[in-house]
Structure formats: structure tokens, C-alpha cells
């Protein structure tokens, strides 16, 4: 595109979304059975040390705890067998060559294709690809550029990581490009292969994450399909916290003795996160609703980040002023687990078809950083 006189009045909208769901899924029963086998083996192998008080025994996990504490019942993954193998407990697949599409780009492309099809958009009319996710498969070339190339898109792409809020930060970035006249059509792709950063041997968190990819097509209203979503406003917030942390990085090799310690995977103080993030996000939503002149109690639906059913219940209650029904605040974490930045987009993708023109809703993410993002949307037709 590259219009020499950018409009600056262009109105960004969401034209469509896309979703890729891995075929394989792990139930809590399967997960706990495999985890407990690992625990029994570990305790048997260390029996003498445990007896001598030199090694702490590991404790079993429980399906009842997981469902009560989180609301998660199952999660999709890219490689079920090795994750459930107590000898491995990590994803495994054949390494791909540099001339093959990488696995992260592959699932991103699948989600993006669906978004493009649903909007009736030819890839050659897309201007930019943002790969917005909590982990990148490699530093460069950017995943976004690989996705761009695979889809046959001209223009530019780059990666951005804001952990669980990557997708909403991506949507605001794309909306700003459209407003500024720098792009008319931007794909925000969130391939989240979280099974790679989850410590499947950690009882506190082994049940949390699942794999998925989503895509959101943000466009200038002037070219968008009639059945789009107006973006009423976006708001982003970050507040530093050590309560969710992952110390994996390229400088790990500077201290090889700790290169494989558990802090190089996802770790969190879940209870602190719960307590601190709920009021922060509820206040942010209410402030933004006021700024936009939207009555929060009249919101037709909340598509909230999918980390914990209890957190969503509390946030939705504070926003709507009453206990939210499943229709008002749909859950996908029961079958998807926490899919990091993709969670609220999956909820939006799966639970928005029934909304009618004029209905107003909220896409909202929150998580590591801390980071949080709101996208208020209204169905156009
Ligand atoms: N099976 C059985 N018991 C377990 C267990 C498991 N897998 N994991 C922990 N427990 C035990 C703990 O040892 C603890 O026992 P204790 O009371 O005897 O000390 C008890 O259950 C409570 O543990 P706690 O970690 O306080 O649980 P919780 O109620 O806070 O639930 C989370 C844990 C992670 C589900 C919850 O805190 C949460 O979802 N927080 C928000 C996380 C979030 O949004 N993160 C963003 C990530 S992107």
C-alpha cells in the first residue's frame, strides 16, 4: 500500500479470527497418572536418601486439586506421547531443516489461513504480519517473516513477546498501524507451543498449559468485510513482577552450571498472581470502559484470558456487577488449558458467532510481566 498521504483517520476493525487446535489432547486423569508414575520412580530411586532425610520425597498430583484450583480438565498438545512418558516429560519431534517450515510457523500459518479465508482476504492484500507470542522458536529470522513468506504476503513482519498479553498488545500495535495509515491489513498471529516452556515434572504447575495457535486480522474499516468488529478502544498496562518468571535466554550459556535449572522454564507464585492480578485487571477494565463511555454492566460478553476459572469469575463479577453466566463470560480453559496469549482470542473465536449488530464485548488478557490488555469491540453487522 504505502499511501504517500496517510489518512490518520482510518478506523481499525477486527475483520476475522482463525484458530489451529492440535489433534492430540491430554486429560487430567492421563496427566496425573503419568506424573504420579514419575513421582513413584523418583522416590523409589532415592529411597535411601529420602530415608536419611537428605532428599525430600516428591508428592503425588491430583485430578481433584487441578479441577478445583484451576478449572482445567484437559489441554491440547503437539506431542502427547513423550509428554506422558515419565522418562521424557517434554515435547519431542524431529528437528526440521532450515529449508522446511518450522513447527511454530506451521501452526501460525494454519490459524492465519483460516482468518484470511473468513475475511475473504487475499494474502497479497495484507501489509504486515506480527507474530505475537510468549515464546519464539528462535531469535531470527523472525517467526513473523517466516509466516509472511509461507502465506505469500508482501510488506513486513516482526515478532513481539508480551507473554500472556502478546495478542492484545499485537492487536493495539496493528490498530495503531492502521490508524496511522502505515498499513490497511495486519495479521496478528499467536502460535503458543507452551508445552515447550512448561516444567511437566513440577507438581505446582504441570497441569497449566496447552498448545494452540490463533490469528486476528486487523484492518482499515474501509476494506473490511461487512461482518466485522469495530474496535472501540484498546488499552495496555505493564507492572513489573517476579511472580511469573522464565529465565531462559541466550545468556544462559554464560553460566553453564545453571543452564538447565528449573527457572529456565515457566515458574510462578500462583496464589500471589491470583491475588494481585484480579484487582489490577478489574480496575483497568472499569477505567477503560468509563473512558470509552461504555457501561460495563451492559457488556454483552467478556472474552477473558484463560488461566484460572476462579480469577475469571471474580473479574467478571466486578465488571458486570453480578455473577457472570457462561454465556456472558465463556470458558475455554476447561478443554484448552492456559494457552497464554491465545486464550482470550480462542474464547472470542469460538463464542462470538451468535452476537448481533450493536453488541459490545471485551477481549482482555493478563499475565506475566505483569502485563494486561483490553480491546473493547462492537459487532458491526
Ligand atoms: N496436586 C495436588 N495438590 C497440589 C498440587 C497438585 N498438582 N499442586 C499444589 N498442590 C497443593 C500445594 O502443595 C498446597 O498444599 P498446602 O496447602 O498443603 O501447602 C495446596 O495444594 C495449595 O497450593 P497453591 O499453589 O496455593 O494452590 P492455588 O489454589 O493457588 O492454585 C493455581 C494454584 C496455579 C491453579 C492458582 O494459583 C492460579 O491459577 N493462579 C493464577 C495463575 C495465573 O493466572 N498465572 C498466569 C500464568 S500465564
Amino acid at each position: 500500500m504505502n499511501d504517500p498521504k496517510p489518512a490518520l483517520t482510518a478506523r481499525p476493525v477486527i475483520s476475522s479470527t482463525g484458530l489451529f487446535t492440535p489433534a492430540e489432547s491430554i486429560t487430567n486423569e492421563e496427566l496425573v497418572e503419568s506424573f504420579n508414575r514419575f513421582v513413584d520412580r523418583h522416590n523409589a530411586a532415592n529411597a535411601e536418601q529420602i530415608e536419611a532425610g537428605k532428599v525430600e520425597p516428591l508428592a503425588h498430583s491430583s485430578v481433584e486439586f487441578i479441577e478445583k484450583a484451576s478449572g482445567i480438565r484437559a489441554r491440547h498438545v503437539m506431542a502427547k506421547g513423550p509428554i506422558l512418558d515419565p522418562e521424557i516429560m517434554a515435547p519431542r519431534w524431529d528437528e526440521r531443516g532450515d529449508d522446511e517450515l518450522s513447527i511454530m510457523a506451521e501452526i501460525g500459518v494454519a490459524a492465519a489461513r483460516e482468518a484470511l479465508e473468513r475475511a475473504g482476504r487475499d494474502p497479497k492484500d495484507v501489509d504486515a504480519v506480527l507474530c505475537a507470542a510468549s515464546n519464539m522458536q528462535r531469535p531470527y529470522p523472525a517467526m513473523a517473516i517466516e509466516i509472511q513468506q509461507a502465506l505469500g504476503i508482501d510488506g513486513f513482519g516482526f515478532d513481539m513477546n508480551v507473554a500472556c498479553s502478546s495478542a492484545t498488545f499485537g492487536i493495539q500495535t496493528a490498530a495503531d498501524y492502521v490508524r496511522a495509515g502505515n498499513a490497511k491489513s495486519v495479521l496478528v498471529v499467536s502460535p503458543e507451543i507452551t508445552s515447550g516452556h512448561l516444567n511437566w515434572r513440577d507438581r505446582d504447575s504441570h497441569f497449566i498449559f496447552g498448545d494452540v495457535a490463533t490469528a486476528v486480522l486487523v484492518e482499515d474499516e474501509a476494506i473490511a468485510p461487512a461482518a466485522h468488529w469495530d474496535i472501540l478502544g484498546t488499552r495496555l498496562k505493564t507492572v513489573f513482577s517476579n511472580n511469573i518468571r522464565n529465565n531462559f535466554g541466550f545468556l544462559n550459556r554464560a553460566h553453564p552450571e545453571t543452564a538447565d535449572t528449573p527457572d529456565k522454564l515457566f515458574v510462578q507464585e500462583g496464589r500471589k498472581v491470583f491475588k494481585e492480578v484480579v484487582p489490577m485487571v478489574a480496575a483497568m477494565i472499569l477505567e477503560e470502559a468509563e473512558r470509552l463511555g461504555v457501561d460495563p454492566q451492559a457488556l454483552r460478553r467478556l472474552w477473558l484470558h484463560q488461566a484460572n476459572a476462579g480469577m475469571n469469575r471474580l473479574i467478571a463479577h466486578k465488571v458486570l456487577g453480578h455473577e457472570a453466566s457462561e454465556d456472558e463470560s465463556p470458558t475455554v480453559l476447561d478443554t484448552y488449558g492456559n494457552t497464554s496469549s491465545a486464550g482470550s482470542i480462542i474464547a472470542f473465536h469460538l463464542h462470538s458467532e451468535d452476537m448481533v449488530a450493536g453488541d459490545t464485548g471485551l477481549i482482555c488478557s493478563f499475565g506475566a510481566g505483569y502485563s494486561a490488555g483490553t480491546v473493547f469491540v462492537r459487532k458491526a453487522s
Side-chain angles (χ1 to χ4, degrees), residues 44-65:
N46 293 281
E48 274 180 29
Q49 301 268 69
I50 291 171
E51 185 70 26
K54 290 184 184 149
V55 169
E56 279 290 313
L58 297 179
H60 276 183
S61 182
S62 107
V63 171
E64 295 69 34
F65 169 82

Side-chain angles (χ1 to χ4, degrees), residues 28 66-67 70-75 207-209 307 333-334 337-338:
N28 284 345
I66 295 170
E67 288 184 8
S70 70
I72 296 166
R73 293 172 185 277
R75 68 287 295 143
F207 53 88
I208 289 182
F209 287 105
L333 60 80
D334 52 345
N338 180 341

Side-chain angles (χ1 to χ4, degrees), residues 345-381:
I345 308 300
I346 304 173
F348 179 65
H349 179 85
L350 294 178
H351 298 283
S352 52
E353 286 286 316
D354 59 323
M355 303 217 2
V356 298
D359 278 349
T360 303
L362 166 69
I363 299 170
C364 177
S365 69
F366 39 89
Y370 297 133
S371 60
T374 59
V375 183
F376 280 83
V377 292
R378 181 167 293 150
K379 187 90 171 86
S381 68

Side-chain angles (χ1 to χ4, degrees), residues 61-62 65 69 164 203-204 244 268 270-271 273 307-308 311 338:
S61 182
S62 107
F65 169 82
C164 294
R203 177 173 176 259
D204 287 344
I244 315 172
Q268 74 168 350
R271 193 146 285 202
V273 175
N308 182 291
M311 277 174 110
N338 180 341

